[in-house]
Amino acid sequence: VTDPTLHDVGEFAVVSRIQQRLGDVGAIVGPGDDAAVVSAADARVVVTTDMLVEGRHFRLDWSTPYDVGRKAAAQNLADIAAMGARSTALVVALGAPRDWPVSAVEALTDGLRDEAEVAGAVVVGGDLSGADAVVVAVTALGELDGRAPVLRSGARAGEIVVLAGVLGRAAAGLALLEADERTGPLVTALVDAHRRPHPPYAMGPALALAGATAMIDVSDGLLADLSHIAVASGVAIELDEDWPSEGDLGATRGAAQLLGVAALEWMATGGDDHALVATLPPGTPIPPGARRIGVVTRAPRGGVTAPGTAMSVAAGTGWEHFA
Amino acid sequence: VTDPTLHDVGEFAVVSRIQQRLGDVGAIVGPGDDAAVVSAADARVVVTTDMLVEGRHFRLDWSTPYDVGRKAAAQNLADIAAMGARSTALVVALGAPRDWPVSAVEALTDGLRDEAEVAGAVVVGGDLSGADAVVVAVTALGELDGRAPVLRSGARAGEIVVLAGVLGRAAAGLALLEADERTGPLVTALVDAHRRPHPPYAMGPALALAGATAMIDVSDGLLADLSHIAVASGVAIELDEDWPSEGDLGATRGAAQLLGVAALEWMATGGDDHALVATLPPGTPIPPGARRIGVVTRAPRGGVTAPGTAMSVAAGTGWEHFA
């Protein structure tokens, strides 16, 4: 059995294979030239970039290259949604060792393409380079369709805080992998949530249309990301006593018992599910797919409190990459 | 003397310092939210991405972090120019070891910002991540200002081939560094050309306005990149006998003598100067800043020949990242 490497096949031939897998993406100019050209119908483009590094953001013994492609795309597509926008296109810079199989690059490409499709976007270009570890840097572009972008800074005291998407499942899955617990349907579902998050992309524009005054995707953890909104808006946020959803608690409680930890902590501090949290003026009908989890208050500015638990955040803290 | 590391200062504080160095960039939404929002006045956006990896594309004992920032930006801004577009914005994903000095990240940011400014663009966002080696993935956005993009595929037999920018200087500089030759003004100028290329950004739109039918930036080497045009357009390209400029030959000849190699080879195969090559219909006035270097012919398709030298290219070959 032969599984040719990047070195065996060579850069130009690998790039050609990647382009074949992407197919006709329907962009104004797609992959294969110096740059791509993408529609930006309302004369503005939303843009974000995020890098995933092997050994830091993923392990290739825990995630397949296909999973890594899905996750790298999801993380960026969620950032576009958090502006109230819909994603249109991705470009991807991939660094990989010369002895990496071409089939792995193809699988990673498939993952990027498939996750982009979930959000209604296409992969329009990229760059392939040598590197000692696998590094995937994705840039996502999006359209606001004439709406104003929803920033972190628009929350006002008296508004409500709403959540779309799941919390704590990816963190539970990662904890299970770290503890070498991999058996049973419960474990599989949570580990899959770590490998391939499912951000609620369509809820970004839906919450914007509903009147969201501030929005963020949960990438550092619910409390930390709410704190980003609180700091940027000069407000405080107080979670309702019943903010944890029964669904998320139910999914993670078994794993928490197995590992002897608190499921609630995964939900409050786990980041990789890429849920969306937004603030809405009081009395605004909450769109289907979102639910209320708290209120915006005046003080202490930048703080986030979760009554009934010992957890709180003083100001913009969360996952630190260099800790 | 203290030079605090990324670990000492922490991700959020470093990001805050980076944002301060970028200043008010004048975008619709600049750095600091989930995504940036950039103007795309003619309802299209040009987008390209390229990754630079420490030890592959640069060495930190040969280039400063500021140089790396300039070069990472230049490489992407040149791709935008090669579409006939002007750059508007960059986003940057940076991976760096936790013991890297914060001052190095700040210098790299300054380099990105300063090179973007040369092309009329601004840095609107980014991502900072841990990594074992320094990795810089830049994505550039650009505007076509109502024009059609200039692809690689539009060259037709009978047209002329024109060049804007310099050739072979960055390759000569790299060869000097590899040979540990670092003394004298000649060496300094060539080594600087390797560290900080100066692509002729404004010539991209100028050549498009002049009627360019195909264009590419020289990143794999003149012969290889002309071959990309030849293959995409289904034509051949024949260089004029006097295609090498006296300026480039003069600058590199001393270095070539020092190292016992042929200056012409650097000009034909060196890629890092990011010159622009384009094809123009016969009789088209060549815009100032460009000069004729060859003609488009019928056969052999995809081939590039340089009469008077032994050099030729059969089809889309050049720098291979996994060779």
Side-chain angles (χ1 to χ4, degrees):
Chain A
V1 180
T2 61
D3 199 356
T5 66
L6 296 177
H7 172 65
D8 295 335
V9 174
E11 181 187 357
F12 289 109
V14 174
V15 168
S16 167
R17 287 207 205 178
I18 291 173
Q19 286 171 9
Q20 278 171 27
R21 292 190 100 78
L22 296 177
D24 178 7
V25 300
I28 300 171
V29 176
D33 219 293
D34 292 278
V37 184
V38 176
S39 177
D42 78 357
R44 297 170 300 170
V45 61
V46 186
V47 58
T48 185
T49 193
D50 261 324
M51 180 184 276
L52 264 68
V53 180
E54 181 187 354
R56 315 257 169 172
H57 303 92
F58 62 88
R59 284 173 49 164
L60 288 169
D61 52 341
W62 287 353
S63 296
T64 67
Y66 180 81
D67 293 336
V68 173
R70 299 278 307 223
K71 190 182 182 114
Q75 176 167 330
N76 283 278
L77 297 162
D79 277 325
I80 297 292
M83 301 299 284
R86 79 183 153 80
S87 290
T88 54
L90 302 183
V91 291
V92 183
L94 171 64
R98 67 206 288 271
D99 62 357
W100 221 37
V102 175
S103 60
V105 173
E106 291 177 324
L108 194 147
T109 302
D110 290 351
L112 289 161
R113 180 199 62 207
D114 291 354
E115 189 67 25
E117 190 180 355
V118 172
V122 289
V123 180
V124 297
D127 179 45
L128 179 61
S129 179
D132 288 336
V134 176
V135 184
V136 193
V138 175
T139 300
L141 304 184
E143 287 252 33
L144 285 159
D145 297 318
R147 294 184 301 276
V150 183
L151 308 184
R152 299 178 177 181
S153 53
R156 297 292 171 261
E159 295 181 340
I160 61 165
V161 180
V162 300
L163 167 78
V166 302
L167 291 174
R169 298 192 191 198
L174 179 60
L176 289 165
L177 285 167
E178 285 171 341
D180 209 21
E181 292 284 354
R182 310 200 193 187
T183 325
L186 166 78
V187 168
T188 301
L190 294 173
V191 166
D192 280 353
H194 160 73
R195 288 176 176 145
R196 294 192 299 273
H198 296 287
Y201 302 121
M203 292 306 295
L207 286 163
L209 281 168
T213 54
M215 186 152 42
I216 194 168
D217 86 298
V218 180
S219 54
D220 293 322
L222 178 67
L223 298 188
D225 286 306
L226 285 176
S227 177
H228 293 321
I229 286 183
V231 169
S233 300
V235 297
I237 287 174
E238 188 176 313
L239 291 175
D240 298 334
E241 294 219 7
D242 61 348
W243 70 267
S245 80
E246 278 310 310
D248 291 339
L249 270 181
T252 53
R253 200 174 272 137
Q257 283 166 353
L258 195 66
L259 301 179
V261 298
L264 196 63
E265 193 164 323
W266 286 329
M267 295 181 61
T269 63
D272 277 345
D273 297 292
H274 298 286
L276 296 173
V277 282
T279 53
L280 290 171
T284 305
I286 299 174
R291 63 188 182 81
R292 176 185 155 141
I293 59 166
V295 292
V296 182
T297 65
R298 266 177 220 293
R301 288 195 171 201
V304 179
T305 49
T309 78
M311 293 183 285
S312 70
V313 175
T317 54
W319 171 257
E320 283 269 350
H321 268 109
F322 302 103
Chain B
V1 180
T2 61
D3 199 357
T5 67
L6 296 176
H7 172 66
D8 294 336
V9 174
E11 181 186 356
F12 289 110
V14 174
V15 167
S16 168
R17 286 207 206 178
I18 291 172
Q19 286 170 9
Q20 279 171 24
R21 293 191 99 78
L22 296 177
D24 178 7
V25 301
I28 300 171
V29 176
D33 218 294
D34 292 278
V37 183
V38 175
S39 177
D42 77 359
R44 298 169 300 170
V45 62
V46 186
V47 58
T48 186
T49 193
D50 261 325
M51 180 184 277
L52 265 69
V53 180
E54 181 186 354
R56 314 259 169 172
H57 302 92
F58 62 88
R59 284 173 49 164
L60 287 170
D61 51 342
W62 288 352
S63 296
T64 66
Y66 180 81
D67 293 336
V68 173
R70 299 278 309 223
K71 189 181 182 113
Q75 177 167 329
N76 283 279
L77 297 163
D79 278 325
I80 297 292
M83 302 300 282
R86 82 184 150 79
S87 290
T88 53
L90 303 182
V91 290
V92 183
L94 171 65
R98 67 207 286 272
D99 62 357
W100 221 37
V102 175
S103 60
V105 173
E106 291 177 323
L108 194 148
T109 302
D110 290 350
L112 290 160
R113 180 198 63 207
D114 291 353
E115 189 66 25
E117 190 182 354
V118 172
V122 289
V123 181
V124 297
D127 179 45
L128 179 61
S129 179
D132 288 337
V134 176
V135 184
V136 193
V138 174
T139 299
L141 304 183
E143 286 253 32
L144 285 160
D145 297 317
R147 294 183 300 275
V150 183
L151 308 184
R152 298 178 179 182
S153 54
R156 296 292 172 260
E159 295 181 339
I160 62 166
V161 180
V162 300
L163 167 77
V166 302
L167 291 174
R169 299 193 190 199
L174 179 59
L176 289 165
L177 285 168
E178 286 171 341
D180 209 21
E181 292 283 354
R182 309 200 193 186
T183 324
L186 166 78
V187 168
T188 301
L190 294 172
V191 167
D192 280 353
H194 161 73
R195 289 176 175 144
R196 295 192 300 273
H198 296 287
Y201 302 120
M203 292 306 296
L207 286 162
L209 281 169
T213 54
M215 185 153 43
I216 194 169
D217 86 298
V218 180
S219 54
D220 292 324
L222 177 67
L223 298 188
D225 285 306
L226 285 176
S227 177
H228 293 321
I229 285 183
V231 169
S233 299
V235 298
I237 287 173
E238 188 177 311
L239 291 177
D240 298 334
E241 295 219 7
D242 61 347
W243 70 268
S245 80
E246 279 309 310
D248 291 340
L249 270 180
T252 53
R253 201 173 272 137
Q257 284 166 352
L258 194 66
L259 301 180
V261 300
L264 196 63
E265 193 164 322
W266 286 329
M267 294 181 61
T269 63
D272 277 345
D273 297 293
H274 298 287
L276 295 173
V277 281
T279 52
L280 290 171
T284 305
I286 300 174
R291 63 189 182 82
R292 175 185 157 143
I293 59 165
V295 292
V296 183
T297 65
R298 267 178 217 294
R301 288 196 171 199
V304 179
T305 49
T309 78
M311 294 182 285
S312 70
V313 175
T317 54
W319 172 256
E320 283 269 350
H321 268 109
F322 304 102

